[in-house]
Amino acid sequence: MLNLMYITNRPEIARIAEDAGVNWIFVDMEFIGKDVRQKGLDTVQNHHTVEDVTKIKKAVTKSKVLVRVNPIHEAIDGYFSSEDEINATIEAGVDIVMLPFFKTVEEVRKFLTYVNGRAKTCLLVETPEAALLIDEILELPGIDMVHLGLNDLHLALGMKFMFELLADGTVDRLTTKIKAKGIPFGFGGLATLTGGVMPGSMVLKEHYRLGSSMVIVSRSFCNTDKIKDLNEIRDIFNTGIADIRRLEREAAEAATYFTSNRTAVIGSVHDIVAKK
């Protein structure tokens, strides 16, 4: 089953998501530069804090807490540096630290050094530079997982729709490299199975085709800025996550079938060739 992530800094929502089967609660501290590159777009721009990490960690019992910190930076405008920010999130009890919007191998190296094995690490590949350097980046020790950020990446490449990257083979090429290193990966976000610009069911099946391990349950799955009633939110999560898990079981069986068939074909070909 995929690790499902949901972004919130509200303990009551985190508990609802956890009870419904969300694996990772995603606290989003990234704000540096995000308003500029996503200006005018209807995208999520949070500004969660270390205090939110502490609150969410206390609120959940089964779900992991993932924190997206800011891109590598020095202390600015009274805000602490990347090293201090990462230290603070680890002290607050984070399980997974995610580095966004990096463009160089050195930025990743600094991030891994700052974390220093005290939490799991996740790289958010969302710049063309990072995509081009993926082979060199993947050689660095200490990378626990990689997520492909299709939203920022498609914007940087001048595309109109983030899943163009799925259709044109970019996701296939990058995930093939990541899989070759034995590193778990995920990509993009998932709406309800029938919701979103492209139905979530189609996206989910692509995760299984590619061997993905994780996906963000997107704002369009349940927008808690607009839906205020906790009972309604709970119903949406319980129904929606159950639907996702149901389709996952179907997709997993199909994936197993095709994998088994391919193995049988290869074995048969080898047998035939050996007899000639």
Side-chain angles (χ1 to χ4, degrees):
M1 293 290 181
L2 292 168
N3 285 307
L4 303 179
M5 301 176 262
Y6 186 75
I7 299 175
T8 186
N9 67 339
R10 294 171 56 186
E12 70 276 18
I13 302 299
R15 283 189 290 267
I16 288 172
E18 178 183 57
D19 289 343
V22 171
N23 307 93
W24 299 344
I25 305 301
F26 189 140
V27 179
D28 188 9
M29 290 174 52
E30 183 192 7
F31 70 93
I32 296 174
K34 199 167 186 179
D35 57 338
V36 175
R37 66 180 188 264
Q38 295 185 358
K39 186 176 181 180
L41 298 174
D42 183 25
T43 54
V44 179
Q45 296 183 24
N46 302 298
H47 192 159
H48 298 167
T49 66
V50 174
E51 289 72 24
D52 291 322
V53 179
T54 302
K55 288 190 297 184
I56 294 298
K57 185 66 179 179
K58 290 179 179 177
V60 297
T61 58
K62 296 176 292 184
S63 297
K64 301 290 187 183
V65 177
L66 179 149
V67 175
R68 175 163 57 189
V69 294
N70 280 290
I72 296 297
H73 64 280
E74 299 301 324
I76 52 172
D77 298 329
Y79 192 80
F80 42 31
S81 67
S82 282
E83 185 173 10
D84 290 336
E85 181 180 71
I86 289 168
N87 284 337
T89 61
I90 291 172
E91 288 170 10
V94 65
D95 297 294
I96 306 163
V97 186
M98 174 185 278
L99 176 68
F101 214 73
F102 55 89
K103 297 181 178 181
T104 68
V105 176
E106 186 56 30
E107 287 173 288
V108 178
R109 197 189 315 275
K110 284 184 178 180
F111 167 69
L112 296 172
T113 299
Y114 294 156
V115 176
N116 193 27
R118 294 174 294 164
K120 295 293 185 182
T121 60
C122 181
L123 302 183
L124 182 58
V125 175
E126 55 182 346
T127 67
E129 295 88 344
L132 287 171
L133 289 168
I134 193 67
D135 291 309
E136 193 174 347
I137 288 167
L138 292 175
E139 291 297 324
L140 296 174
I143 301 169
D144 292 303
M145 57 200 82
V146 176
H147 194 81
L148 304 182
L150 304 188
N151 190 49
D152 272 312
L153 186 55
H154 97 277
L155 292 174
L157 293 173
M159 294 179 173
K160 295 180 179 179
F161 181 40
M162 67 177 181
F163 286 122
E164 285 183 75
L165 292 162
L166 197 55
D168 72 0
T170 298
V171 173
D172 286 70
R173 288 191 293 273
L174 291 172
T175 57
T176 296
K177 293 174 182 290
I178 299 165
K179 279 192 290 189
K181 293 294 183 181
I183 298 173
F185 68 89
F187 61 88
L190 183 68
T192 58
L193 296 187
T194 56
V197 179
M198 188 167 75
S201 59
M202 296 178 69
V203 178
L204 184 64
K205 289 175 183 177
E206 280 291 86
H207 277 269
Y208 268 80
R209 179 181 69 82
L210 292 162
S212 170
S213 299
M214 56 192 181
V215 64
I216 297 170
V217 178
S218 69
R219 179 177 55 167
S220 57
F221 174 87
C222 183
N223 190 340
T224 56
D225 290 332
K226 294 181 178 179
I227 304 169
K228 303 299 183 183
D229 183 80
L230 289 181
N231 288 325
E232 183 180 356
I233 292 170
R234 185 175 290 105
D235 288 342
I236 290 170
F237 268 95
N238 288 341
T239 301
I241 298 299
D243 286 345
I244 289 171
R245 295 307 191 193
R246 225 173 354 257
L247 184 58
E248 275 193 280
R249 287 190 287 273
E250 176 189 316
E253 289 172 6
T256 301
Y257 170 80
F258 288 118
T259 300
S260 299
N261 182 70
R262 178 162 175 75
T263 301
V265 167
I266 293 171
S268 179
V269 168
H270 287 169
D271 288 344
I272 293 168
V273 171
K275 293 175 182 177
K276 285 186 176 292

